[in-house]
């Protein structure tokens, strides 16, 4: 009897038990679940950063073009073609030429360059993750500014506040008056 018990106690066990298998499978399932959550978060952050990068690029392109047009303008006026739509902005950079900026809604702004009464070019600026686009004129310290205001909107399931981004351009900044032109050229005052 003593030898039979010693054989049973001395025998090594081979393989793993069902309990050990279940514990291991539970651990792997928990790790996989955590990995899925982290991947979803990473994908959401990547999409959010891509949208912000696209918006920054579109706003940068719009700002360069808008400021260039406004700085070269001899005159700027607010134009309302349709009472149901937002007012637009008409820029007069020279004789027989006008550039119209018209909000299209949902973050779109159309730029139409007209020369001699004919449309020379048309461009639409699309600003991702944005809402309303407004155009206005302001007087600050005796200078006149044309303004584009763009409301940013938050992504779904976010509580970010609506922020208004402004692009300002000084009207006629690059246009020289005849008196200053005569002085720089050495003419008589």
């Amino acid at each position: 009897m003593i030898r039979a018990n010693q054989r049973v106690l001395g025998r090594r066990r081979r393989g793993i038990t069902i309990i050990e298998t279940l514990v291991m499978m539970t651990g792997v399932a928990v790790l996989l679940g955590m990995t899925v959550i982290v991947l979803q978060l990473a994908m959401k952050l990547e999409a959010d950063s891509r949208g912000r990068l696209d918006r920054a690029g579109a706003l940068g392109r719009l700002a360069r073009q808008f400021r260039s047009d406004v700085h070269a303008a001899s005159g700027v006026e607010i134009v309302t073609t349709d009472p149901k739509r937002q007012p637009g902005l008409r820029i007069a950079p020279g004789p027989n030429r006008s550039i119209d900026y018209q909000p299209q809604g949902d973050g779109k702004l159309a730029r139409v360059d007209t020369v001699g009464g004919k449309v020379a070019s048309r461009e639409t600026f699309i600003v991702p993750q944005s809402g309303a686009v407004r155009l206005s004129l302001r007087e600050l310290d005796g200078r006149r500014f044309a303004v584009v205001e763009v409301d940013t909107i938050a992504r779904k399931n976010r509580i970010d506040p609506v922020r208004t981004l402004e692009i300002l351009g000084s009207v006629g900044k690059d246009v020289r008056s005849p008196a200053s032109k005569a002085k720089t050229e050495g003419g008589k005052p």
Side-chain angles (χ1 to χ4, degrees), residues 51-140:
R52 288 183 183 191
L53 184 65
D54 290 345
R55 180 176 62 206
L59 283 173
R61 207 168 47 86
L62 172 62
R64 278 190 301 277
Q65 185 65 56
F66 182 74
R67 286 184 181 130
S68 173
D69 291 340
V70 172
H71 289 177
S74 57
V76 176
E77 64 180 339
I78 297 291
V79 178
T80 306
T81 56
D82 186 3
K84 296 177 184 177
R85 298 180 78 180
Q86 290 275 350
L89 194 67
R90 178 164 290 151
I91 300 170
N96 295 325
R97 183 170 179 222
S98 68
I99 300 171
D100 290 341
Y101 282 89
Q102 184 64 46
Q104 302 292 310
D106 294 334
K108 294 179 184 175
L109 182 66
R111 176 186 181 270
V112 180
D113 191 355
T114 308
V115 178
K118 295 181 181 178
V119 175
S121 67
R122 183 183 307 262
E123 183 177 9
T124 301
F125 294 94
I126 300 172
V127 183
Q129 296 181 353
S130 62
V133 176
R134 293 176 301 281
L135 298 161
S136 62
L137 293 173
R138 290 189 194 156
E139 290 270 342
L140 298 171

